[in-house]
Amino acid sequence: DAHTANREQTMALNPDPSAAAARDQAAKGQAKRAALAGHDGDAYSRAYVEAMVADHEQALATLDATLIPAAQSADVREHLEVTRQHVADHRERARTLAGMQ
């Protein structure tokens, strides 16, 4: 639910879906889904949780190093900062599931 709500809030800010970064992110997501499709049962669960830890860590790095510093409007910056907190929370949940806590 949090991801859906965030996506809706992001789309309300009118991002450019044809931007190179957006296309790259979509391609990474498709590749990750394809890689996960090669697993089933417990192997799928482990691979999924590991992917979620890595993906949320990458999202935090991108938010901190690129997106938040580049935000030019207060609305966008606020959205990105709220998003960052949600991503950090999700990463911690994924780390707990992975036994990394």
Side-chain angles (χ1 to χ4, degrees):
D1 292 341
H3 286 251
T4 299
N6 181 266
R7 181 159 179 72
E8 290 170 358
Q9 292 163 358
T10 299
M11 297 311 290
L13 295 169
N14 298 314
D16 180 3
S18 66
R23 288 192 320 269
D24 290 347
Q25 189 64 31
K28 285 180 189 177
Q30 290 171 348
K32 184 72 68 170
R33 283 190 296 280
L36 288 171
H39 300 285
D40 60 2
D42 288 343
Y44 176 87
S45 295
R46 281 190 300 277
Y48 179 83
V49 170
E50 289 170 5
M52 290 305 98
V53 171
D55 289 353
H56 284 83
E57 287 177 353
Q58 180 59 49
L60 286 173
T62 300
L63 284 159
D64 291 342
T66 305
L67 298 176
I68 293 172
Q72 294 182 359
S73 80
D75 289 343
V76 171
R77 178 175 289 279
E78 180 181 352
H79 173 65
L80 292 172
E81 289 172 349
V82 169
T83 296
R84 190 204 183 285
Q85 184 57 53
H86 288 293
V87 171
D89 292 345
H90 288 191
R91 181 197 56 189
E92 292 312 307
R93 290 180 190 169
R95 287 177 57 90
T96 298
L97 287 172
M100 301 172 93
Q101 292 293 337

